[in-house]
Amino acid sequence: TKIQIKLGVNLGSALGLIVLGALLLRNGLGILDTLIFIVAVVLTTLGLVGLFNYFRSHNRKVQPLLVALALMVLGVLLYIFGSQILTYILIAVGAFLVVYGVLDLLNLVKVKSKNNLLFTLTFLKIAIGILLIVATWVTIGWFITVVAIAAIVQGFLFLVQ
């Protein structure tokens, strides 16, 4: 078989995915800190721009001022408490997965489902939720590794497609 590398959008997408995957594998959880920092800077900047536009505008409604101040405060809080906020969000997602999984399990038992795949996915959902609650950062580390490998594989698939 002959493998051809196509140039164009697929090449850019492929290289982007490979680089993203490599960065995720190399830095792992450090990427999350960087993403939190970027989101904090963007929110704060949007708030500052909104505040500037509010004082520059002749129409001084209260809502744009409140939105600008809220964005600035949210950005600063995210910068200061980013990893703690992320931890609480991940724990909440884990609790949601556990509750949603238990409700799905009860529903499967109620309708007397014989679908083993649905039972397996439901137990998997509950297990991931418990892992997110109990070992938040370990679970996220595993997830980042899986996403990194998937990005690299998809990048190579784009190249040889």
Side-chain angles (χ1 to χ4, degrees):
T1 60
K2 185 178 179 182
I3 295 176
Q4 282 184 303
I5 295 178
K6 294 183 179 182
L7 299 176
V9 175
N10 279 348
L11 179 65
S13 300
L15 292 177
L17 284 170
I18 292 169
V19 167
L20 175 67
L23 284 173
L24 286 173
L25 278 178
R26 172 84 169 101
N27 295 324
L29 294 176
I31 292 291
L32 286 179
D33 289 334
T34 304
L35 289 174
I36 289 171
F37 175 75
I38 290 170
V39 170
V41 167
V42 167
L43 288 175
T44 306
T45 303
L46 288 173
L48 286 172
V49 168
L51 191 64
F52 177 75
N53 286 337
Y54 172 79
F55 286 117
R56 197 176 67 155
S57 146
H58 296 296
N59 187 4
R60 300 253 174 122
K61 292 184 179 177
V62 175
Q63 183 181 2
L65 176 63
L66 293 177
V67 169
L69 290 174
L71 285 173
M72 285 177 25
V73 168
L74 187 61
V76 169
L77 287 175
L78 193 58
Y79 176 74
I80 295 171
F81 302 111
S83 61
Q84 291 91 351
I85 291 171
L86 185 59
T87 300
Y88 293 133
I89 289 172
L90 292 173
I91 290 171
V93 167
F96 173 77
L97 285 174
V98 169
V99 169
Y100 188 60
V102 167
L103 291 175
D104 280 351
L105 184 62
L106 291 174
N107 190 38
L108 287 173
V109 169
K110 180 180 175 185
V111 297
K112 298 179 182 167
S113 174
K114 304 247 189 260
N115 191 337
N116 289 334
L117 179 62
L118 286 178
F119 276 106
T120 303
L121 291 175
T122 301
F123 282 118
L124 186 63
K125 189 186 312 178
I126 294 169
I128 290 172
I130 291 170
L131 279 173
L132 277 174
I133 293 168
V134 175
T136 304
W137 292 106
V138 173
T139 307
I140 293 304
W142 293 342
F143 180 72
I144 288 174
T145 302
V146 169
V147 168
I149 292 170
I152 291 171
V153 168
Q154 186 62 48
F156 281 117
L157 290 176
F158 275 166
L159 278 179
V160 297
Q161 191 174 10

